Each structure stands twice: as C-alpha cells, then as structure tokens.
Amino acid sequence: MQIVWSVKGGVGVTVVAASLAAGWARRDGGAVLVDLCGDAPAVLGVPEPSGPGVRDWLAAPDTAPGALARLVVPVADGRSLLPRGASTAGRTTSRVAELADELVALGGHVVVDAGRRDAAPEVADDDLVAALCRRGRPPRVARACARAQRRAVSAGATAAGVVRGTEQGRCHDRR
C-alpha cells in the first residue's frame, strides 16, 4: 500500500496518486485508487460514483468483513476506484485503524490519495494518515514552495520519499 499525501493542498497529490495506480495497473494488471479527497473521479475522467464510499463505510457503526472491498468500482485497464462517498457524518476516529487494516486486506496495489494531512474531515486530523503510514510506504508530494516546506517541517511529518513537482514559469527554483 502506498499513501500519497502533502502538508499543503494544490501540489498534485491526486495526480501523483492516480499516476501511481495507473503505473501499477499497467505493470501488474491491477491497482485500487482510494479517494479520501473526492478529486480522483475528475482526474481519472470518470463520473462521480453514485454509491457509497469510504466516508459511508467510516460512518457505519459496524460493517461485515469485506464490506469495504465491495465498494470498489472498476474504472478501466485494471484500475479500480474506492470512492470517497457522500456521508457527512462527524469524525469517526474509532474506525481509523480498522480502515487501515481493511485497505491492507484489499491486497495487490493499493494507492491512497490522502491529499492534505488535514483534508479528511471525517477523521481526526492526522489519525488516518498516521495509521495508514504505519502500514504502508508514505511518499509525500511537494513543490518548490516555501510555505509547504515550512508546514512539513513544523508538522514533524516523515515520509519514505518525496515526489517534487515543478511548474513551468513559476518563480521558485532550487535557490
């Protein structure tokens, strides 16, 4: 499982996560993209799934084993999507570790688009990303941005690697 996240929004987390899932699917025949932010369908070029998703699973007080796997929607070319879902229930920190375990149980290549560390309002702050990072390999997405770098340092965030995005015409460079 790979968890793609950032300390700042707008740096390309969803694009990197979708690209990783596409690469794994091409290489090994299948990958699941877990959408915690709600941007994945647009990046994949598919309509927003109308059924339940991760938020709905988190909001349920109890679910049968394998219930999360049944929410996965095939997209194309071996890629599947576990959509964000529509539930607006309050924070459900009690199920964070269980969600992380269920995602690991999906097997194969699972790529989690965790967006910003504080972007999933249905779970408390960093609990979900921290639980997922303990069970996977968490690359962080960044771009040459002083604010993003300050946030990363102040958050004490650790990552197994960094994907650094650059943009033509931006004033940020190695300096």
Side-chain angles (χ1 to χ4, degrees):
M1 178 169 53
Q2 290 186 303
I3 303 91
V4 184
W5 60 276
S6 180
V7 294
K8 182 182 177 299
V11 298
V13 173
T14 301
V15 171
V16 169
S19 297
L20 282 170
W24 285 121
R26 263 192 311 277
R27 182 181 147 199
D28 296 334
V32 177
L33 176 60
V34 180
D35 183 15
L36 297 182
C37 301
D39 299 333
V43 169
L44 295 173
V46 298
E48 183 70 38
S50 59
V54 175
R55 284 184 175 185
D56 306 291
W57 186 91
L58 281 166
D62 189 27
T63 53
L68 190 67
R70 289 190 290 278
L71 302 178
V72 174
V73 177
V75 176
D77 304 325
R79 291 173 292 150
S80 299
L81 174 66
L82 179 54
R84 178 176 65 170
S87 176
T88 57
R91 295 181 177 207
T92 55
T93 58
S94 62
R95 301 204 63 205
V96 168
E98 187 181 349
L99 173 61
D101 291 337
E102 287 286 325
L103 292 175
V104 170
L106 289 175
H109 296 292
V110 177
V111 180
V112 180
D113 174 8
R116 287 193 335 262
R117 288 187 76 176
D118 61 350
E122 67 277 6
V123 295
D125 303 324
D126 297 337
D127 289 347
L128 177 59
V129 173
L132 293 172
C133 288
R134 285 191 294 272
R135 291 162 175 84
R137 300 180 327 222
R140 178 172 59 91
V141 177
R143 71 169 189 233
C145 171
R147 184 185 317 169
Q149 298 307 316
R150 281 195 305 270
R151 284 185 185 176
V153 170
S154 67
T158 58
V162 175
V163 176
R164 182 174 178 256
T166 58
E167 301 168 68
Q168 291 287 336
R170 297 276 305 192
C171 62
H172 299 106
D173 60 19
R174 278 191 262 181
R175 291 177 284 158

